[in-house]
Amino acid sequence: MISIVIPIYNEEENLDNLYNRLTAAAPSWNEDYEIVLVDDGSRDKSLTMMRVMAAKDSHVKVVKLSRNFGHQPAISAGIKVAKGDAIIIMDGDLQDPPEELYRFLDKWREGYEVVYAVRTKRKEGFFKKLAYSSFYRLLAWVSDIEIPLDSGDFCVMDRKVVNVLVEEMPEQIRFVRGMRAYAGFKQVGVTYERAERAAGEVKYTFKKLMKLALDGLFGFSSFPLRLATYMGFFISIPSFLVGIFFILHRIIGFKVFGHSPEETPGTATLAVGMYFLSGVILIILGILGEYIGRIYIEVKRRPFFVIDEVIEKKS
Ligand code: UDP
Ligand code: MG
């Protein structure tokens, strides 16, 4: 059996379409299936619509979270409940076309444990595209593991991989695409054209997107910490040389910018140096704080999602 996990947050405009297109594509999978819809605290008619679907169709299972936890926790809840031998993760706004799924499943049947989607075209604004592509490149450059470029959460994972994610990765801050890369196994990318959101507003606000990016960066790299060391060297070595220069200026008495040692004005240099250094120190404190905050979240061991109810047709 295969499971299709779809996080849903206020997708009333897309749900019927999503269900119809999935159901129409289902015969191409040649396998029994379940659709696991995770309601991430929707405030519109989504939950009511999903209840109706689950009541009519035993393929549909609805996992109702107790509030809005966010996309990544919602995915984590879905894969925990999913029972399939292969688990598909996709978005609920039809940006990931259900008609393409059989190609991913074919790769899985060939023996790949992770088949991730690589988007060839992104139909989004110039700046969003630029931001995404620079982020993925930065992450690939600084991170300790190999996170494939331009691949999001859309993927098929074998039961083995999902077990690792669910049972052996207890981290609170979930960056699923990174965790998937970390898990290892045989992975392969399949290209596809990412469609536009079919209807409704983007649910990822700028703030949520920033959070996701930072979770990826801080969760999968200690480069920011090392940055402090680099900056330290970068500033101390030239400062040391400048110091020697001024000592010689005093002792030998050569002129600097036409000034003899007695009349060298140092105020501007001092002020700029002080502000610059304070800025650098604050940035480094911020980076330390970022890691400490994350350690704090992790040690509290709070559940990163709370399931209120699992709704399915009793057969
Ligand atoms: N989503 C969610 N919880 C949230 C935000 C989004 O479950 O807090 C779901 C949303 O319903 C959609 C998917 O995550 O199915 C991706 O969201 P969206 O399309 O807004 O993000 P984008 O495609 O811009 O990355
Ligand atoms: Mg989307």
Side-chain angles (χ1 to χ4, degrees):
M1 185 181 71
I2 57 172
S3 306
I4 302 144
V5 171
I6 310 175
I8 298 290
Y9 179 52
N10 297 343
E11 302 284 4
E12 58 181 10
E13 299 100 327
N14 291 315
L15 269 170
D16 280 329
N17 216 340
L18 176 72
Y19 174 77
N20 291 338
R21 280 176 60 181
L22 276 171
T23 312
S28 69
W29 307 332
N30 294 318
E31 195 128 354
D32 190 19
Y33 67 97
E34 60 170 2
I35 302 174
V36 180
L37 301 169
V38 184
D39 175 56
D40 188 19
S42 298
R43 286 161 219 270
D44 63 357
K45 291 204 289 288
S46 299
L47 181 63
T48 322
M49 293 171 74
M50 288 188 271
R51 279 186 195 278
V52 174
M53 286 172 190
K56 276 201 303 221
D57 184 346
S58 58
H59 289 116
V60 178
K61 199 182 258 184
V62 180
V63 180
K64 177 184 180 291
L65 301 186
S66 63
R67 63 170 170 88
N68 178 254
F69 281 88
H71 184 209
Q72 304 288 309
I75 290 176
S76 306
I79 62 174
K80 187 168 182 192
V81 171
K83 299 233 155 60
D85 307 305
I87 289 93
I88 295 168
I89 297 174
M90 60 189 286
D91 280 355
D93 59 355
L94 291 164
Q95 282 195 283
D96 309 325
E99 295 75 20
E100 304 270 321
L101 285 179
Y102 76 94
R103 287 172 45 215
F104 291 75
L105 289 168
D106 281 350
K107 280 279 171 207
W108 169 65
R109 290 192 184 105
E110 266 176 43
Y112 290 98
E113 281 107 350
V114 174
V115 187
Y116 56 84
V118 179
R119 25 197 180 228
T120 47
K121 262 192 221 156
R122 241 183 198 284
K123 291 175 187 155
E124 269 147 336
F126 174 77
F127 284 106
K128 203 169 178 186
K129 272 198 281 200
L130 184 74
Y132 269 109
S133 97
S134 11
F135 169 70
Y136 278 116
R137 269 140 200 90
L138 174 72
L139 186 62
W141 183 54
V142 301
S143 97
D144 311 325
I145 50 158
E146 235 174 85
I147 300 179
L149 292 175
D150 302 314
S151 67
D153 292 319
F154 185 24
C155 68
V156 179
M157 283 187 279
D158 190 85
R159 164 65 31 206
K160 281 195 276 188
V161 182
V162 170
N163 282 350
V164 172
L165 261 59
V166 170
E167 284 157 22
E168 292 174 55
M169 294 199 187
E171 58 213 78
Q172 314 282 296
I173 303 172
R174 317 287 290 180
F175 185 66
V176 176
R177 60 200 75 167
M179 294 163 66
R180 185 182 73 205
Y182 187 94
F185 295 100
K186 255 193 342 185
Q187 308 215 356
V188 67
V190 169
T191 54
Y192 82 114
E193 214 172 282
R194 189 158 164 90
E196 259 165 298
R197 168 175 266 281
E201 301 248 302
V202 180
K203 304 303 178 305
Y204 254 101
T205 54
F206 180 72
K207 209 172 128 196
K208 282 186 181 174
L209 217 51
M210 275 302 287
K211 185 183 175 296
L212 182 69
L214 292 178
D215 287 351
L217 207 58
F218 286 100
F220 286 88
S221 166
S222 43
F223 177 79
L225 281 175
R226 237 171 288 137
L227 207 60
T229 320
Y230 297 151
M231 276 204 252
F233 277 114
F234 182 74
I235 295 165
S236 359
I237 292 170
S239 307
F240 184 70
L241 296 178
V242 172
I244 291 181
F245 177 79
F246 276 111
I247 291 174
L248 293 178
H249 168 59
R250 272 267 149 201
I251 298 173
I252 304 174
F254 58 77
K255 292 195 167 180
V256 175
F257 299 122
H259 294 287
S260 59
E262 289 72 36
E263 39 181 43
T264 307
T267 1
T269 325
L270 270 180
V272 171
M274 193 190 74
Y275 285 120
F276 175 69
L277 257 185
S278 313
V280 170
I281 291 170
L282 284 179
I283 291 172
I284 290 168
L285 270 181
I287 292 174
L288 284 179
E290 194 66 50
Y291 281 97
I292 294 172
R294 282 157 198 279
I295 295 170
Y296 186 48
I297 292 174
E298 295 293 344
V299 296
K300 278 189 286 191
R301 307 267 96 209
R302 287 187 183 155
F304 38 90
F305 59 78
V306 175
I307 296 178
D308 176 6
E309 197 185 344
V310 177
I311 306 148
E312 60 190 312
K313 192 173 167 186
K314 300 276 175 302
S315 51

